[in-house]
Amino acid sequence: MATILVTGGCGFIGSHLCVALLARGDRVRVLDDLSTGSESNLAPGASLMIGDVARPDTVRQAMVGVDAVFHLAAVASVERGVQDPYGTHCVNLSATVAVLDAARHQGAPVVYASSAAVYGDATDLPLADTTATRPLSAYGADKLGCEQHARVAGHTHGVRTAGLRFFNVYGPRQDPRSPYSGVISIFCDRLAAGREVVVFGDGGQTRDFVYVGDVVRRLLAALPAASTAAPVFNVCTGQPTSVLQLAQTIAALCGQDARIRYDTPRAGEIRDSLGRPSPIAGLAEAPPVTL
Ligand code: NAD
Ligand code: UD2
């Protein structure tokens, strides 16, 4: 039985990952400060250490006796990075350096969350994992920094890592109440309650939405793929969906016509985001993850 540390295991993606790890027989330890996550998300059977992943001593303590690490804790909001670039940098990049350093001493591989935000407004769609990165936000710059530190940790200290560039993840436990929540959670919440949805711009903008169960399956497959070469993988579907299509589909599933209010486009946002999914060795044989 392996002991796995999941940072951010009380959050949206991390909590589903913990359930899947426990289901396959692993022992799971969570490090989370409950800033956006919730103790009610803690997978039954997992142990919780409440603490800040940006504190190296806390990370070292959390990693004692651990066989592998999934590092998902972050301030997962581009907007928060705009408001507080230094504060979010400490969590989104410095903490990753602390995780990589503790993993070096522990000899544990690290699978960590990167983001499609590393591509910025690159327009050569679909974005391959080899496409040039040029982040436009502090959040994206910090995620790219995680990838570069992972490469350095592999090269200099022999730390095995794999980075997953998540596109727009959706699914159960995504909190619809923040204005920066994923659009699917917001639309589901409002349309199920018979309320109107707000579409920013003309609704023709597209995203590559990927289900959290498929994300967890890729996280699990990435662990044996972790290496000192620090590979990075796109986690996406390769299918574009417009915001308008989304509103209409969710409304139809709720048995109603979508009531849409159009508002001004979000400042600085990209029009289209579409990835080319990266092959991960062993993924084809990995069983589906049921949530
Ligand atoms: P989330 O906010 O639900 O989960 C993040 C978790 O990290 C929360 O439980 C939070 O309490 C915890 N956390 C935050 N700061 C911490 C700190 N200083 N110390 C300890 N714990 C801390 O977000 P999520 O959507 O589950 O995102 C998980 C990871 O995936 C993040 O790294 C995020 O940047 C990345 N990501 C998510 C998406 C998406 O579409 N949801 C897209 C790209 C990348
Ligand atoms: C996603 C990530 C973000 C960052 C970014 C990088 C999520 C939740 N956010 O932002 O963290 O990685 O990608 O590019 O995954 N919209 C509406 N009405 C609403 C809410 C949203 O029209 O009520 C639109 C919004 O203007 C955008 C699209 O829906 O065009 C998707 O919005 P989002 O906030 O879910 O995700 P995104 O792609 O802006």
Side-chain angles (χ1 to χ4, degrees), residues 98 175 180:
D175 182 3
Y180 307 110

Side-chain angles (χ1 to χ4, degrees), residues 129-151:
D129 55 31
T130 49
T131 298
T133 48
R134 46 176 195 195
L136 288 173
S137 59
Y139 173 78
D142 282 336
K143 289 295 189 184
L144 185 57
C146 293
E147 296 182 4
Q148 290 173 336
H149 274 279
R151 205 154 52 83

Side-chain angles (χ1 to χ4, degrees), residues 11-13 32-33 35-37 51-53 72 74 114 139 143 167 169:
F12 162 47
I13 299 171
D32 201 299
D33 70 352
S35 51
T36 56
D52 184 355
V53 73
L72 302 182
S114 183
Y139 173 78
K143 289 295 189 184
F167 281 63
V169 187

Side-chain angles (χ1 to χ4, degrees), residues 48-117:
L48 173 62
M49 187 175 159
I50 298 175
D52 184 355
V53 73
R55 291 187 58 102
D57 51 341
T58 302
V59 174
R60 270 197 301 274
Q61 205 186 326
M63 222 178 277
V64 172
V66 154
D67 298 296
V69 183
F70 288 91
H71 174 47
L72 302 182
V75 181
S77 156
V78 171
E79 186 55 29
R80 281 278 307 283
V82 174
Q83 305 305 329
D84 179 17
Y86 180 72
T88 55
H89 169 77
C90 293
V91 182
N92 290 349
L93 181 52
S94 302
T96 303
V97 178
V99 166
L100 293 168
D101 193 39
R104 153 165 84 118
H105 293 293
Q106 184 62 31
V110 179
V111 175
Y112 63 94
S114 183
S115 167

Side-chain angles (χ1 to χ4, degrees), residues 26 55 86 111 123 126 129 150 152 163 215 270:
D26 291 328
R55 291 187 58 102
Y86 180 72
V111 175
T123 49
D129 55 31
V152 170
V215 171
I270 53 168

Side-chain angles (χ1 to χ4, degrees), residues 12 75-79 114-121 137 139-140 143 166-170 174 178-187 190 197-201 203-209 241-244 246 261 263-266 269-271 273:
F12 162 47
V75 181
S77 156
V78 171
E79 186 55 29
S114 183
S115 167
V118 298
Y119 296 113
D121 61 356
S137 59
Y139 173 78
K143 289 295 189 184
F166 300 151
F167 281 63
N168 290 61
V169 187
Y170 71 94
Q174 192 168 34
S178 148
Y180 307 110
S181 305
V183 64
I184 293 186
S185 67
I186 296 173
F187 281 9
R190 296 183 78 101
V197 292
V198 179
V199 166
F200 301 123
Q205 68 268 44
T206 60
R207 293 293 183 271
D208 187 326
F209 294 102
T241 304
S242 76
V243 169
L244 209 51
L246 199 61
R261 179 162 60 82
D263 207 334
T264 47
R266 274 184 183 166
E269 85 160 18
I270 53 168
R271 178 75 179 173
S273 169

